[in-house]
């Protein structure tokens, strides 16, 4: 699904990581951890093609991301759901329209997808807040809205960058449950987080693989977590 | 997306595409005002160009159809030389008619300089013969040669001396009018490009979000192109309407040879300015499309 082949990324002459060989199998659940600034967000951006590796290559659904033109990359990105820590919404549109944006920009049957919109808003518990503007929502509500927007097109892969970074423990558990539920539906999930307690909590619900970025390498973490 | 696809998308009712970019009062007003002002100026440039064109055509036509023979001779020979000249003209191929101007007509010609009461008959002024040509015209050099033999005091004036500069001046005025229209179109494109760049720079976050969720560059560009094109068309409609109204209110004269009072449109020419909103739309479409594509490429 997502594959790194001897991939590395340098920025400003400094290597964030190098020689990464990794494959994310369909339906798998991954945590990516490491201290702040180690390159977790960069790694996720390499996964969905916002950045290209400075060495080696990354493939998504079998396609080398560096060979795609901008429109092909945009089309491929519609098959991935991305949740950012700062969420990134269009602040002038109600949250309902923000969640439905991927439908509007895709060429898929908008009517069919729109029927799922209300269902999805209810699934993340935002029915009452559907007409509010993004700045009017709390951190947790924004994260749930971002998750709803990420999954509305039924993507095969969901990448989440510190999705629980701005929410309390209860809300982070709620978000985690939603992500676990999606994984049970067959979605491949990768969550970048420095919150080890969240990873421990998740491991009681799902069989997750934990990857740690350290010394410019991606390592598998295990018993120490 | 291709140009054709982008153009077709202009006519589709894509509410979402219209809404993804927040309405920005500053650039909206700037585009509307620029487009209206430029359309207003273009209406005047068009009117100038068309009036100059009409004038050039009229001067050319009027003066090309007639020539004048001036007889400057001692007073006792004037009548004889006039008769001789008329005989020569009657037998010249290409001359449709020739007649001696009456005293009243000559007085009318001199009136602008000497007033209406000038006693023409008492002044030693030359006799004038108006000659009308046939469509095929006559051989001016041959006629001059014959006149120099038959009536030495007769001078053929085919108006070439002053017809050419006048016609050239009118044609240059028309050219200046057309050049002004092109410059206005260029200035409109430049100003709309600046406004589009400002809008793109102010909406970087919107572009970032749209890219994050998989919007193609053509989708993002379309949102801007559509908005700026519609604004340019609306502004140009207003500017054209006001410009046409202003032209309509200019003082008009029945003498269509007087340039300043002839500035305007005639009959079907009034339809020409109506094309301006469409042209403004075309200029805005390509200017914004180029600006958007350039900005999005830079952001990659």
């Amino acid at each position: 699904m997502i594959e790194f082949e001897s991939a590395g990324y340098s920025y400003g002459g400094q290597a964030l990581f190098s020689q990464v060989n990794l494959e994310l199998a369909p339906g798998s659940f991954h945590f990516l951890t490491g201290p702040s600034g180690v390159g977790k967000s960069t790694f996720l951006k390499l996964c969905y093609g916002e950045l290209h590796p400075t060495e080696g290559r990354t493939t998504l659904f079998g396609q080398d991301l560096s060979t795609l033109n901008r429109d092909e990359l945009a089309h491929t990105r519609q098959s991935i759901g991305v949740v950012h820590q700062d969420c990134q919404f269009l602040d002038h549109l109600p949250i309902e329209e923000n969640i439905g944006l991927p439908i509007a920009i895709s060429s898929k049957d908008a009517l069919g997808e729109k029927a799922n919109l209300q269902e999805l808003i209810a699934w993340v518990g935002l029915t009452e807040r559907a007409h509010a503007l993004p700045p009017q929502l709390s951190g947790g509500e924004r994260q749930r809205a971002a998750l709803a927007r990420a999954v509305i097109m039924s993507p095969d892969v969901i990448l989440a960058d510190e999705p629980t970074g701005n929410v309390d423990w209860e809300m982070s558990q709620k978000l985690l449950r939603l992500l676990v539920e999606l994984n049970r539906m067959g979605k491949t999930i990768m969550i970048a987080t420095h919150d080890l307690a969240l990873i421990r909590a998740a491991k009681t619900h799902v069989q997750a693989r934990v990857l740690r970025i350290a010394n410019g390498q991606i390592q598998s973490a295990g018993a120490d977590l | 997306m291709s140009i054709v696809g982008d153009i077709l998308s202009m006519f589709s009712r894509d509410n979402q595409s219209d809404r993804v970019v927040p309405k920005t009062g500053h650039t909206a007003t700037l585009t509307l005002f620029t487009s209206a002002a430029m359309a207003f100026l273009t209406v005047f440039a068009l009117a100038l160009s068309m009036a100059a064109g009409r004038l050039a055509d009229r001067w050319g036509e009027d003066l090309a159809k007639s020539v004048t023979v001036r007889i400057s001779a001692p007073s006792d020979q004037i009548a004889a030389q006039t008769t001789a000249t008329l005989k020569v003209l009657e037998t010249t191929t290409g001359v449709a008619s020739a007649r001696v101007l009456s005293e009243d007509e000559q007085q009318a010609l001199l009136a602008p300089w000497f007033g209406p009461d000038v006693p023409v008959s008492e002044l030693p002024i030359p006799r004038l013969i108006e000659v009308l040509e046939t469509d095929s015209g006559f051989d001016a050099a041959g006629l001059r040669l014959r006149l120099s033999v038959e009536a030495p005091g007769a001078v053929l004036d085919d108006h070439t001396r002053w017809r050419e500069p006048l016609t050239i001046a009118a044609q240059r005025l028309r050219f200046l009018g057309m050049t002004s229209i092109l410059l206005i179109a260029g200035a409109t494109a430049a100003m709309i490009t600046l406004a589009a760049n400002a809008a793109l720079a102010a909406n970087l976050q919107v572009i970032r979000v749209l890219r994050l969720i998989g919007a193609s560059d053509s989708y993002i560009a379309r949102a801007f192109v559509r908005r700026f094109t519609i604004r340019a068309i609306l502004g140009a409609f207003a500017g054209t309407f006001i410009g046409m109204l202003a032209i309509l209110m200019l003082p008009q004269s029945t003498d269509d040879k007087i340039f300043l009072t002839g500035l305007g449109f005639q009959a079907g020419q009034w339809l020409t300015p109506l094309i301006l909103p469409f042209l403004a739309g075309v200029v805005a479409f390509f200017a914004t499309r180029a600006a958007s594509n350039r900005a999005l490429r830079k952001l990659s």
Side-chain angles (χ1 to χ4, degrees), chain A residues 48 50 70-71 74-75 77-78 80 82 84 87-90 92-94 97-98 101-102 104-105 149, chain B residues 1 16 19-23 205-206 208-219 293 296-297 300:
Chain A
Y48 63 87
E50 186 170 332
R70 288 182 297 155
D71 278 354
H75 185 73
R77 211 173 271 174
Q78 288 175 11
I80 304 178
V82 182
H84 266 277
C87 299
Q88 298 190 349
F89 291 109
L90 302 184
H92 63 288
L93 293 183
E97 280 190 55
N98 266 286
L101 264 182
I105 64 162
R149 185 182 64 188
Chain B
M1 190 186 271
Q16 196 62 44
R19 284 170 55 78
V20 290
V21 181
K23 285 185 171 57
Q205 174 64 10
V206 171
R208 217 168 277 139
V209 171
L210 290 173
R211 279 197 162 157
L212 180 72
I213 59 173
S216 63
D217 282 0
S218 53
Y219 180 90
N293 286 339
L296 291 169
R297 245 194 326 271
S300 292

Side-chain angles (χ1 to χ4, degrees), chain A residues 13-32:
Chain A
Q14 193 180 351
L16 283 179
F17 33 78
S18 60
Q19 290 297 313
V20 175
N21 290 292
L22 180 71
E23 187 179 351
L24 271 63
S28 57
F29 198 115
H30 297 259
F31 280 103
L32 181 66

Side-chain angles (χ1 to χ4, degrees), chain A residues 43 55 106 169 172 176 192 205:
Chain A
F43 189 83
E55 61 178 73
S106 76
W169 176 250
S172 68
L176 183 62
H205 301 292

Side-chain angles (χ1 to χ4, degrees), chain A residues 74-139:
Chain A
H75 185 73
T76 306
R77 211 173 271 174
Q78 288 175 11
S79 306
I80 304 178
V82 182
V83 182
H84 266 277
Q85 183 178 10
D86 56 1
C87 299
Q88 298 190 349
F89 291 109
L90 302 184
D91 287 347
H92 63 288
L93 293 183
I95 205 67
E96 181 181 30
E97 280 190 55
N98 266 286
I99 293 173
L101 264 182
I103 301 172
I105 64 162
S106 76
S107 50
K108 286 191 181 179
D109 171 27
L111 276 179
E113 297 292 338
K114 269 181 182 165
N116 295 333
L117 179 60
Q118 298 309 323
E119 211 174 297
L120 193 58
I121 290 172
W123 179 66
V124 292
L126 289 174
T127 305
E128 303 289 310
R129 308 286 282 150
H131 301 294
L133 293 174
Q136 296 169 326
L137 300 184
S138 68

Side-chain angles (χ1 to χ4, degrees), chain B residues 63-81:
Chain B
L63 297 174
K65 278 179 198 159
S66 70
V67 297
T68 308
V69 178
R70 191 177 70 246
I71 298 160
S72 306
S75 54
D76 58 331
Q77 292 177 26
I78 284 245
Q81 290 211 23

Side-chain angles (χ1 to χ4, degrees), chain B residues 3 8 28 38 53 75 81 86 121 136 141-142 150 184 195 204 225 232 245 247 257 259 278-279:
Chain B
I3 287 183
L8 289 177
M38 292 303 181
S75 54
Q81 290 211 23
L86 284 171
S121 57
S136 54
E150 304 286 336
I184 291 169
L204 280 181
V225 170
L245 210 60
I247 293 281
K257 292 182 189 70
F259 178 69
F278 168 75
L279 289 180

Side-chain angles (χ1 to χ4, degrees), chain A residues 29 31 83-85 87 123-126 138-151 158 160-183 189 191 195 198 201-202 205:
Chain A
F29 198 115
F31 280 103
V83 182
H84 266 277
Q85 183 178 10
C87 299
W123 179 66
V124 292
L126 289 174
S138 68
E141 287 171 332
R142 287 167 66 86
Q143 287 294 355
R144 282 182 280 151
L147 184 59
R149 185 182 64 188
V151 300
I158 295 157
D161 188 5
E162 300 282 5
T164 59
N166 293 325
V167 297
D168 58 28
W169 176 250
E170 195 183 338
M171 184 54 68
S172 68
Q173 290 303 296
K174 211 178 258 184
L175 282 165
L176 183 62
R177 277 198 294 278
L178 292 173
L179 286 163
V180 169
E181 209 174 311
L182 287 166
N183 179 246
I189 312 276
I191 302 171
D195 186 352
L198 180 79
H205 301 292

